[in-house]
Amino acid sequence: MLGEVDLNKNLSKKEYKEMMDVLAPKFSALQREARKKGLPVMIVFEGWGASGKGTLINRLIQPLDPRGFKVFTVQEENEEERMHPFLWRFWTKTPQKGRIHIFDRSWYRRVITEQMDQPMSQKKLASSYQQILSFEEQLAADGTLIIKFFLHISADEQEKRLKKLERSPETKWRVTKADWKHFKQYKGYFPMYDYMLEQTDMAWAPWHVIEAMDREYAALKVMAVAAKMMEERLRKMDRVKQSEKEAEKASDVPLDFQETVRTSVLDGVDMSLSMTKEAYKKRLAQLQDELMRLHNEMYLKRIPVVVALEGWDAAGKGGAIKRLTEPLDPRGYEVVPTAAPNDIEKAHHYLWRFWKEMPKDGHMTIFDRTWYGRVMVERIEGFCSQNEWRRAYREINQMEQNLTDHGVVVLKFWLQIDKDEQERRFKERMEDPEKQWKITDEDWRNRGKWDEYVKAVDEMILRTSTTCAPWTIVEANSKYYARIKILETVVRALKKRV
Amino acid sequence: MLGEVDLNKNLSKKEYKEMMDVLAPKFSALQREARKKGLPVMIVFEGWGASGKGTLINRLIQPLDPRGFKVFTVQEENEEERMHPFLWRFWTKTPQKGRIHIFDRSWYRRVITEQMDQPMSQKKLASSYQQILSFEEQLAADGTLIIKFFLHISADEQEKRLKKLERSPETKWRVTKADWKHFKQYKGYFPMYDYMLEQTDMAWAPWHVIEAMDREYAALKVMAVAAKMMEERLRKMDRVKQSEKEAEKASDVPLDFQETVRTSVLDGVDMSLSMTKEAYKKRLAQLQDELMRLHNEMYLKRIPVVVALEGWDAAGKGGAIKRLTEPLDPRGYEVVPTAAPNDIEKAHHYLWRFWKEMPKDGHMTIFDRTWYGRVMVERIEGFCSQNEWRRAYREINQMEQNLTDHGVVVLKFWLQIDKDEQERRFKERMEDPEKQWKITDEDWRNRGKWDEYVKAVDEMILRTSTTCAPWTIVEANSKYYARIKILETVVRALKKRV
């Protein structure tokens, strides 16, 4: 893409000022409208060293209300970041609805600077591109407006600018050895940038190449493009809002016997499996011993682990977590309970709150209910649209792939009990004053939707049992049996890795 | 995905008949509605050998009007097909609006059977998956409903069925050595199928796993799923139609100085380049000699070539094609002129008519105007929506990547003349009785949209100049210079490859 760009674009100071006087107030108004309508915006600046990213970002934010945007400077990963999948630091920085997040360099660092300094294998590079594409696609599909700028200058101009910076005592410090090294690699970077632009120029997140030889021209163009894209999107939001709502209403048109022909996973589960108390106690002690040892090794070898627990209400998730964590060093694990999302969480992509909690290398995070809420409760209660939960299978698979690519052990458990057993447990809880708090009206309401849940769970397990992150279905009518199966699965998985 | 499926599903003959009596007429009505509303449908059957694909397809088509569907049996590539990119045979078989195309095995053969029989490199396998995904995505985005079935049976069942077929003299011939070989590889196929399902289970083309142990159950489920998906889509089409139209109307909200800040490619072209007649004649003779030799070598080495010519009206495409083809053996090349699409072409994906014309190995196809019409005339005249032409950059890049992955040399030329030169040529043509036919009212109308075209061409060249298929901008104010530059570029590219 870069070879074709005409770099001789410029504006006189006078032209610049005249045009900015029109543009700046407009851009400012668009920010206010975006906040009001809840549009999240990500603006990415990539480009050559000394191409003026700092200056252009500075000019871009002049008209903006400082309470509504934030600028992130992306440098080398710090230690915390290195211990997570590489997109983790960007997932945690995605803007909530109505805010503008501006990135001075971005996730593209991975496939450019890092690749130049320390080339990765073709396979890893391809997977990094894949991850970047799915990151942007997921955010775009969720409604985030992504605006990507590439600031383009010639090698001569880059040299001129670096020398100028060096001449002045005030700016000399800004030119590092690395800058000159990169300058000497201009020709090597060129095809890499070209490839990057080509691979990631998607309709939902297109690149805008900025001819950055002339600062005035570049500053005006950056703001004009940003304003145009925001305006287009806001107008589209106005139009789409109504029609989408109508579309959702009637979007499930079932035939008469969908029930008969649904794919079943849970039907085949053997609910009679159980275990005596004696056998349980003996095996539990063995497994907990092993687990203690493995957790330690895992920590030393910096292997991160995610344990995801899903299952019917009263299926015994709490008890299983207790047995699982008893032998573990509390500095090395965390239990994350998942409730309904709060307001901040609702204003982000639904995976954002889980990305934040992902374990760093050597740690274990146990999720008591998970991101699978999207395709169960949110699907059934209509908290998200049909398009959204259908898309979620793929999005979840991609997130888990990101994790396992980074080396995370991902273990997912579905605790299966039958309807009679659930009723027995509900009643037991209600009769026990110490356990009454555990049972709410909502639990009974959910129980009323048992069949809908079966359908959703069947589809969920089918579509998200992947090679890298398979589901384990736990026959949980017997709590003893269930706990042992979970611990055994965890122990087996860890043994494979340490 | 497969490991979790409960295979113990069945229906009694009576249940089957009762349900089919309701379902079949409904499915039949849906076909009529799909034809009326112009919905193209692709139904894919994949699955284990002896899982009953033939039987199920047969039952599925019973209620259908035979004039509205077609069944394709996909076997090994024939010689013609091997000489094209692997998706070529499927692109040419995509259904036009209102028709149902059913595939007994499909493009997934590439990543399963072929991969099992003759494993390709990881890189090639990854690229095949990429191509499959973009094929389905492009068709889905264009409105084709894609329904994918995977017929699942156990290894025991497969063995039982093969033996049963062998026992009867009438069906014995159907069981081949390859069938038994595949049966013995059941365990090897299992993770491959699982991986395939996982990689290609997209929201816009999800897989439906069919428990195919019981024929009645499977037949009912296949038809019920197909009917449900068609019904959902048809209802959605009703709703979306109106709102989309409204959305298009106001979808371009330009700011005041888009013109000033647009990316320019053509501005930088040196229009003064020219050549004397004498130099031209000499060089032309040399190049044509070389070209003749290269065309021959290309044929022997089975290298396919695509030459794509775009440019302003009267920029000299015809003259250039004449000089290019003069030295070529007519059995080894074809010139494809591109006019406005006819009715059949309009009823297909816009790339379909170009896929059909792609050269087989060893041949050259010269396109006089091309698929880039999508982002020029169709964009400017509003023949496609903004979403459609924005998406097209990516789609075109993907198609060209498919071609170059197969080994095609793709050369794209933009013939650039300035506005004055065009006027001069138009007038010249009008005054010459032999050339008057070449100039129409439409040419003058297009000329009136010069600035809009400049903008579209700039963006087109920027977004579709890729590493594998770059644009060459030809300074064409001088016809001599232009022809020589085109021939030189072709010769250079061929020399690199033979």
Side-chain angles (χ1 to χ4, degrees), chain A residues 78-112:
Chain A
N78 64 29
E79 212 190 316
E80 177 89 3
E81 289 162 350
R82 257 195 306 281
M83 290 171 86
H84 283 94
F86 94 92
L87 283 173
W88 174 79
R89 63 166 164 161
F90 301 108
W91 266 106
T92 56
K93 292 181 181 65
T94 52
Q96 70 177 68
K97 284 175 187 160
R99 287 186 59 85
I100 301 176
H101 283 188
I102 298 171
F103 294 84
D104 179 353
R105 300 214 179 268
S106 66
W107 41 97
Y108 286 101
R109 219 184 163 279
R110 176 76 163 194
V111 292
I112 298 291

Side-chain angles (χ1 to χ4, degrees), chain A residues 96-353:
Chain A
Q96 70 177 68
K97 284 175 187 160
R99 287 186 59 85
I100 301 176
H101 283 188
I102 298 171
F103 294 84
D104 179 353
R105 300 214 179 268
S106 66
W107 41 97
Y108 286 101
R109 219 184 163 279
R110 176 76 163 194
V111 292
I112 298 291
T113 320
E114 291 178 32
Q115 171 65 3
M116 194 72 177
D117 293 346
Q118 210 167 7
M120 38 188 154
S121 69
Q122 279 304 310
K123 201 181 157 189
K124 202 173 161 200
L125 184 65
S127 135
S128 299
Y129 269 111
Q130 228 20 73
Q131 290 184 22
I132 285 172
L133 287 176
S134 88
F135 173 62
E136 292 180 359
E137 189 182 357
Q138 288 198 24
L139 291 171
D142 192 49
T144 301
L145 175 63
I146 303 173
I147 307 175
K148 303 189 293 194
F149 293 111
F150 185 89
L151 310 188
H152 187 25
I153 55 174
S154 65
D156 288 350
E157 178 72 13
Q158 195 184 18
E159 186 174 19
K160 217 175 73 190
R161 290 188 185 185
L162 289 173
K163 281 188 177 157
K164 193 179 161 193
L165 286 169
E166 272 191 339
R167 272 199 304 274
S168 153
E170 283 158 38
T171 53
K172 199 170 184 307
W173 63 273
R174 285 178 51 195
V175 182
T176 64
K177 272 192 187 163
D179 287 329
W180 281 112
K181 190 180 145 209
H182 289 160
F183 162 70
K184 290 200 181 96
Q185 293 169 320
Y186 187 98
K187 277 198 181 154
Y189 271 107
F190 200 96
M192 282 178 81
Y193 275 134
D194 232 15
Y195 182 77
M196 171 192 97
L197 294 170
E198 188 181 314
Q199 288 299 310
T200 57
D201 186 39
M202 311 305 274
W204 57 82
W207 280 102
H208 303 274
V209 176
I210 303 293
E211 303 86 340
M213 304 285 274
D214 178 79
R215 295 252 157 101
E216 273 63 53
Y217 178 81
L220 186 83
K221 179 160 176 178
V222 162
M223 199 184 290
V225 170
K228 184 171 188 220
M229 290 198 69
M230 284 175 69
E231 182 155 36
E232 274 183 18
R233 175 62 67 88
L234 288 163
R235 290 299 82 77
K236 199 175 169 186
M237 284 169 81
D238 298 341
R239 288 191 309 267
V240 168
K241 214 172 168 188
Q242 197 48 40
S243 73
E244 246 182 14
K245 266 189 195 157
E246 276 165 30
E248 285 306 329
K249 267 183 232 159
S251 65
D252 218 339
V253 189
L255 286 171
D256 309 298
F257 23 76
Q258 290 308 323
E259 197 43 38
T260 312
V261 297
R262 72 178 171 75
T263 298
S264 72
V265 173
L266 298 181
D267 283 4
V269 178
D270 179 359
M271 296 311 297
S272 70
L273 291 169
S274 71
M275 197 171 214
T276 65
K277 189 168 184 176
E278 216 165 52
Y280 165 69
K281 284 201 161 170
K282 202 174 142 196
R283 188 74 185 114
L284 182 67
Q286 290 169 342
L287 286 166
Q288 289 192 333
D289 267 4
E290 274 199 275
L291 202 54
M292 188 188 307
R293 192 181 52 76
L294 286 164
H295 188 229
N296 205 34
E297 273 196 71
M298 218 187 78
Y299 182 78
L300 291 172
K301 294 192 176 162
R302 294 271 180 271
I303 299 166
V305 182
V306 164
V307 177
L309 288 160
E310 288 285 357
W312 298 103
D313 289 328
K317 289 187 295 295
I321 292 173
K322 193 151 176 287
R323 297 339 179 267
L324 186 61
T325 54
E326 271 168 0
L328 306 181
D329 181 328
R331 290 163 302 182
Y333 79 86
E334 200 181 349
V335 177
V336 178
T338 302
N342 63 33
D343 288 351
I344 302 288
E345 290 164 347
K346 271 187 209 151
H348 280 93
H349 190 285
Y350 72 98
L351 289 175
W352 173 79
R353 59 173 172 150

Side-chain angles (χ1 to χ4, degrees), chain B residues 184-322:
Chain B
K184 291 202 180 94
Q185 292 169 320
Y186 188 97
K187 278 196 180 155
Y189 271 106
F190 200 96
M192 282 178 82
Y193 275 134
D194 233 14
Y195 183 78
M196 171 192 96
L197 294 170
E198 187 180 313
Q199 289 299 309
T200 56
D201 187 38
M202 311 305 274
W204 59 81
W207 279 102
H208 303 275
V209 176
I210 304 295
E211 302 86 341
M213 304 285 274
D214 178 79
R215 295 254 157 102
E216 273 63 54
Y217 178 81
L220 186 83
K221 179 159 176 180
V222 162
M223 200 185 291
V225 169
K228 184 170 189 222
M229 290 197 70
M230 283 175 71
E231 182 156 36
E232 273 183 19
R233 175 63 66 88
L234 288 163
R235 292 298 83 74
K236 199 174 169 187
M237 284 168 82
D238 298 342
R239 288 189 311 267
V240 167
K241 214 171 166 188
Q242 196 50 41
S243 73
E244 245 183 14
K245 266 190 196 158
E246 276 165 30
E248 285 306 328
K249 267 184 230 157
S251 64
D252 217 341
V253 189
L255 286 170
D256 309 298
F257 22 75
Q258 290 307 323
E259 197 42 38
T260 312
V261 298
R262 70 176 173 77
T263 298
S264 72
V265 172
L266 297 181
D267 283 4
V269 178
D270 180 359
M271 296 311 296
S272 69
L273 291 169
S274 72
M275 196 171 214
T276 65
K277 189 168 183 178
E278 216 165 50
Y280 164 69
K281 284 200 161 170
K282 203 174 140 194
R283 188 76 185 113
L284 181 67
Q286 289 170 344
L287 287 166
Q288 289 191 332
D289 266 5
E290 275 198 275
L291 201 55
M292 189 189 305
R293 192 181 52 76
L294 286 165
H295 187 230
N296 204 35
E297 272 197 73
M298 218 187 78
Y299 182 77
L300 290 172
K301 294 192 175 161
R302 293 273 181 269
I303 300 166
V305 181
V306 164
V307 176
L309 287 160
E310 288 285 358
W312 298 102
D313 288 329
K317 290 189 293 295
I321 291 173
K322 194 152 173 286

Side-chain angles (χ1 to χ4, degrees), chain B residues 328-369:
Chain B
L328 306 181
D329 182 330
R331 289 163 302 181
Y333 78 87
E334 200 182 348
V335 177
V336 178
T338 302
N342 63 33
D343 287 352
I344 301 287
E345 290 164 346
K346 272 188 208 151
H348 280 95
H349 191 286
Y350 72 99
L351 289 175
W352 174 79
R353 59 172 171 153
F354 301 106
W355 268 104
K356 284 200 306 175
E357 302 293 350
M358 288 302 164
K360 59 180 172 184
D361 293 354
H363 287 246
M364 177 186 282
T365 304
I366 299 162
F367 289 92
D368 182 1
R369 301 209 179 276

Side-chain angles (χ1 to χ4, degrees), chain B residues 46-48 105-120 125 128-129 132 150 182 185 188-197 207:
Chain B
E46 288 286 349
W48 300 99
R105 300 216 179 267
S106 66
W107 40 96
Y108 286 101
R109 219 184 163 281
R110 176 78 163 195
V111 292
I112 297 292
T113 320
E114 291 178 30
Q115 170 66 2
M116 195 73 176
D117 293 346
Q118 208 166 8
M120 38 188 155
L125 185 65
S128 299
Y129 270 112
I132 286 172
F150 185 89
H182 289 160
Q185 292 169 320
Y189 271 106
F190 200 96
M192 282 178 82
Y193 275 134
D194 233 14
Y195 183 78
M196 171 192 96
L197 294 170
W207 279 102

